[in-house]
Amino acid sequence: MSDYRWMPTTDYVENANVTRLARAHGLRDIDELRDRSVADPAWYWNAVLADLGIEFAAPYTAVLDLSGGVEHPDWFTGAELNITDACLRRWRDAGPGRIAVRHETEDGTTRTMTFGELADQVGAAVAGLKRLGIGRGDAVGLYLPMIPEAVVAVYAVAALGAVLVPLFSGFAAAAIASRLDDADVKAVVVADGTVRRGRTVAMLPQLATALPDCPGVEHLIVIDNVGSATDVDFEVTVTSWSELTATPAELVTEQVPAMHPLMLGYTSGTTGRPKGAVHTHAGFLVKTASEVAYSFDMDSDGVFCWITDMGWIMGPLSIIGTHANGATLVLYEGSPDIPDDYRLWDLVERHRISMLGVSPTLIRTLKGSDLDRIHERDLSSVHVLGSTGEPWDPGSYDWLARLVFGERVPVINFSGGTEVGGSFLAPYPVEPIRSCSLGGPSLGMDVDVVDDDGRSVRGQVGELVCRQPWPSMTRGVWKDDQRYLDAYWSRFPGLWHHGDFAMVDAEGQWFILGRSDDVMNVAGKRLAPAEVEAALSTHPAVSEAAAVGVPDPVKGEAVWAFWVARTPTSVDETAVSRELKQIVGKELGKPFAPSKVWRVDALPKTRSAKILRRAIRAAALGTDPGDLSGAENPEAIDRIRDAVRGQSSTVSTVGDGSPTEIESR
């Protein structure tokens, strides 16, 4: 356990956006604001629009209409808008020379785009898409790295009232095809390639391979990003991005109803086809604008950067949320540890980033770097740190907050998902935040932790649910409403069931302990992988670790652990593995010590650095790992499978005298 906690100064509290919102309504602090936002969500979301100055082209007659049931709410009934007006036109008109986008590639090349230049590019792209026959309701795929053209494409598609379908830039052909076909995509904006870890990664060929399984695709718009060939051996119209945007045109937007589809965010399930979560113009706008303004304390003077991908929810959230607040967005195209472990801090210094979004896995990777060298960089611009996607371990969290940033900035560790369109849980920078904590419910989010019977529980692990709808709640699963109802509403009728295990401690701090299907049941006790991994990561030889549950005839499930060495050439694997078992037994109790421990070269992860525990478990057990379309390094799964199958084990005695096995490769 860690004793670290963020304690905001008086100045920090007084100058925060969320304090302004609370005081405008006669509320003393974040606690009172949280309470009122949940007691009256319609009041809260109306207050957000007023506080952030977001206007609709046609006003709404009601904030929320539940006549269709809690599963199918209507928000901002009667309103019309276009998200491009709120995020781009508004700020272009207020000051066209202000910087909207900064972009940096792995080799250090930079580009900037003002709000005026961005609006001009979007206007030209809208006109170009219209010439191709793209219009309201048509689905347009985006298979792009984090480049300025991705921002232009987002606003151009939205301006038309068409539907965005962002794809992870690392997808292979099969994953691309399944999503484009499910979404009935008519056109795809694609980069010829990108550069990652010093090598060119071809993207257009992957898309071309997918096209025979996507009969609805009529047009490709190809961006010359790395200078690769753009030939496509398939009957589809190919237009270069430069040709599409060559003719200047005034920015024109289609006004659409508040709940008009903006985007399909596809999630990867363990079985079955991916689910297309439907997000809307008003819902996604209001929720992401509030996240960036209140959780991350951004205003129009801020500089926002999240290390992410267009295919994950944080890509669109970063674009829309940042520009809804008139701030500058920094896009980084490449790996954040190239050419060395100091690249991230160089990025902060060069662009004067004020909100830096990272993953726990990235910080675990960088944790072994020299603090003196980090402190040679000027990190004074950072006002808030952001994190999402996976649980923290105290060692990595404290290293970042305490040692790198000297306890002067908060870590806003928030949790939600693609279907949520933002966060369920988030601390706010105006309140004390314990190490690794998610703080409490996000404003306007009536979340709870319940037992298997749906009863609210505290001080024990339970299921994360939400009792009321919110504006960015997915409108459903694209073309499959029954699947939507089964996935989120069938476990606890009337409650959104998110599939995460969570806990609220005695101090009221919230913690996500992992996906319900990741959590282990050892001798009748729920054990989150994060608890085991946090203990494993305290060993100085361990760079990162993963824990999974496997069937056990005595305990029901036993823990298997896998670790990656910080310095592989100078480590006694057997000794470290034995010590790791002892550490877990001491920290969590002897029954929870891993029965097997392997050292491996790498853990399989997504591009956004989430560890694929489901795939690790499947590899260890020799079963089907399911959808691996989001994996950045699927070869790591094969290596784990080979290690488990090919290594004999050595039996040792740990702690209570029971035999255990220690394995490495």
Side-chain angles (χ1 to χ4, degrees):
M1 294 294 291
S2 166
D3 62 356
Y4 174 72
R5 71 178 61 212
W6 156 256
M7 297 298 294
T9 64
T10 300
D11 283 347
Y12 207 114
V13 173
E14 290 300 315
N15 292 300
N17 294 330
V18 74
T19 301
R20 178 190 67 231
L21 176 65
R23 300 272 172 82
H25 295 275
L27 304 172
R28 290 179 302 174
D29 53 28
I30 186 64
D31 292 331
E32 287 193 359
L33 182 57
R34 264 200 183 102
D35 289 344
R36 185 168 180 191
S37 75
V38 170
D40 190 352
W43 164 83
Y44 172 70
W45 296 109
N46 186 66
V48 168
L49 289 170
D51 182 64
L52 300 182
I54 297 173
E55 297 180 352
F56 295 158
Y60 45 90
T61 56
V63 176
L64 175 61
D65 178 1
L66 289 176
S67 59
V70 68
E71 304 89 348
H72 299 100
D74 274 322
W75 289 90
F76 311 111
T77 55
E80 289 192 349
L81 75 153
N82 192 289
I83 203 168
T84 300
D85 291 329
C87 296
L88 178 54
R89 185 193 299 277
R90 172 189 179 188
W91 303 105
R92 186 275 310 269
D93 293 347
R98 294 176 53 249
I99 300 298
V101 177
R102 295 184 182 274
H103 172 248
E104 181 169 319
T105 61
E106 220 174 58
D107 68 3
T109 302
T110 61
R111 283 193 284 166
T112 62
M113 188 178 289
T114 66
F115 277 101
E117 292 166 340
L118 178 57
D120 289 345
Q121 283 283 298
V122 172
V126 168
L129 289 169
K130 283 183 177 178
R131 290 194 298 271
L132 297 181
I134 305 302
R136 183 168 174 159
D138 291 331
V140 179
L142 304 182
Y143 185 44
L144 299 170
M146 298 299 282
I147 55 178
E149 290 83 357
V151 181
V152 176
V154 164
Y155 289 133
V157 173
L160 288 165
V163 182
L164 295 156
V165 184
L167 302 170
F168 168 48
S169 64
F171 274 153
I176 296 168
S178 66
R179 289 155 175 81
L180 296 184
D181 186 55
D182 185 75
D184 300 316
V185 164
K186 185 175 180 179
V188 183
V189 183
V190 56
D192 57 349
T194 186
V195 174
R196 188 168 178 85
R197 296 196 173 278
R199 66 183 184 90
T200 299
V201 180
M203 297 179 67
L204 181 60
Q206 291 283 6
L207 178 61
T209 303
L211 287 179
D213 295 320
C214 308
V217 175
E218 300 175 10
H219 301 279
L220 294 187
I221 299 101
V222 181
I223 297 169
D224 180 4
N225 192 48
V226 295
S228 297
T230 58
D231 294 334
V232 177
D233 187 19
F234 190 73
E235 291 186 7
V236 63
T237 302
V238 178
T239 304
S240 70
W241 179 262
S242 58
E243 179 185 353
L244 184 86
T245 59
T247 304
E250 177 60 29
L251 174 58
V252 177
T253 58
E254 178 88 359
Q255 301 305 306
V256 296
M259 294 291 99
H260 183 77
L262 166 72
M263 176 179 70
L264 303 183
Y266 276 88
T267 65
S268 298
T270 55
T271 59
R273 71 184 191 279
K275 302 190 295 288
V278 183
H279 290 297
T280 67
H281 275 249
F284 199 70
L285 168 65
V286 177
K287 175 64 168 167
T288 58
S290 69
E291 306 271 55
V292 172
Y294 305 136
S295 294
F296 303 120
D297 202 36
M298 292 286 291
D299 56 25
S300 60
D301 294 326
V303 180
F304 187 103
C305 178
W306 203 290
I307 306 301
T308 187
D309 187 272
M310 275 302 301
W312 308 139
I313 193 67
M314 288 310 303
L317 187 153
S318 296
I319 294 171
I320 301 300
T322 299
H323 289 154
N325 287 280
T328 298
L329 175 67
V330 171
L331 304 175
Y332 178 64
E333 181 189 3
S335 178
D337 58 352
I338 298 295
D340 55 37
D341 287 351
Y342 305 96
R343 180 57 179 273
L344 183 67
W345 318 120
D346 289 334
L347 194 71
V348 169
E349 182 177 49
R350 267 195 294 275
H351 299 288
R352 305 302 297 156
I353 292 168
S354 54
M355 205 306 299
L356 177 65
V358 297
S359 71
T361 295
L362 174 59
I363 298 307
R364 283 191 283 270
T365 301
L366 302 179
K367 193 170 63 173
S369 51
D370 186 337
L371 279 167
D372 288 338
R373 291 188 61 187
I374 294 174
H375 291 150
E376 289 173 0
R377 280 77 176 171
D378 180 3
L379 307 182
S380 62
S381 61
V382 176
H383 180 66
V384 171
L385 295 162
S387 169
T388 192
E390 59 175 326
W392 279 93
D393 63 278
S396 301
Y397 185 106
D398 294 4
W399 180 82
L400 179 66
R402 260 184 166 155
L403 300 182
V404 175
F405 284 97
E407 305 186 17
R408 69 170 186 82
V409 297
V411 178
I412 303 303
N413 178 26
F414 81 136
S415 179
T418 301
E419 312 94 315
V420 180
S423 68
F424 269 147
L425 299 168
Y428 289 85
V430 296
E431 62 184 339
I433 306 169
R434 273 184 52 192
S435 177
C436 303
S437 173
L438 288 151
S442 299
L443 293 170
M445 308 298 281
D446 191 6
V447 293
D448 199 0
V449 177
V450 300
D451 63 15
D452 291 340
D453 296 319
R455 294 176 301 218
S456 182
V457 295
R458 294 295 182 266
Q460 68 184 68
V461 176
E463 294 275 1
L464 183 69
V465 299
C466 195
R467 297 185 178 278
Q468 298 185 83
W470 60 98
S472 63
M473 185 179 87
T474 176
R475 296 285 285 172
V477 172
W478 186 247
K479 299 190 299 186
D480 196 342
D481 191 61
Q482 189 58 50
R483 192 180 183 199
Y484 161 69
L485 295 172
D486 291 344
Y488 304 110
W489 298 97
S490 62
R491 175 73 187 276
F492 305 106
L495 301 182
W496 171 287
H497 170 237
H498 196 53
D500 279 338
F501 271 136
M503 185 182 73
V504 185
D505 70 9
E507 297 182 22
Q509 297 276 309
W510 292 60
F511 299 85
I512 293 291
L513 302 176
R515 297 295 295 171
S516 301
D517 51 7
D518 282 343
V519 171
M520 301 166 276
N521 192 323
V522 180
K525 181 183 182 299
R526 287 171 174 168
L527 179 68
E531 296 178 87
V532 179
E533 292 160 7
L536 295 170
S537 297
T538 62
H539 196 292
V542 174
S543 171
E544 55 187 353
V548 298
V550 299
D552 182 88
V554 177
K555 297 180 178 180
E557 277 192 300
V559 179
W560 284 7
F562 301 84
W563 61 280
V564 178
R566 190 171 298 282
T567 53
T569 58
S570 59
V571 63
D572 183 338
E573 299 174 7
T574 302
V576 171
S577 292
R578 183 177 292 108
E579 291 162 7
L580 290 174
K581 296 167 68 64
Q582 294 171 336
I583 288 171
V584 176
K586 181 179 179 181
E587 291 287 326
L588 302 178
K590 294 175 183 177
F592 309 116
S595 62
K596 292 187 179 182
V597 179
W598 282 269
R599 201 222 89 187
V600 294
D601 294 334
L603 300 174
K605 302 174 192 172
T606 67
R607 177 71 63 83
S608 57
K610 293 182 184 178
I611 294 173
L612 293 167
R613 296 179 185 86
R614 168 181 52 83
I616 293 173
R617 184 178 188 272
L621 296 177
T623 59
D624 182 5
D627 181 11
L628 297 176
S629 56
E632 180 177 34
N633 56 337
E635 68 279 0
I637 300 168
D638 296 330
R639 292 173 186 167
I640 288 173
R641 184 181 292 112
D642 293 344
V644 172
R645 287 177 177 175
Q647 291 292 325
S648 60
S649 56
T650 59
V651 179
S652 65
T653 300
V654 176
D656 59 358
S658 60
T660 57
E661 294 174 303
I662 299 171
E663 309 191 20
S664 60
R665 70 178 295 251

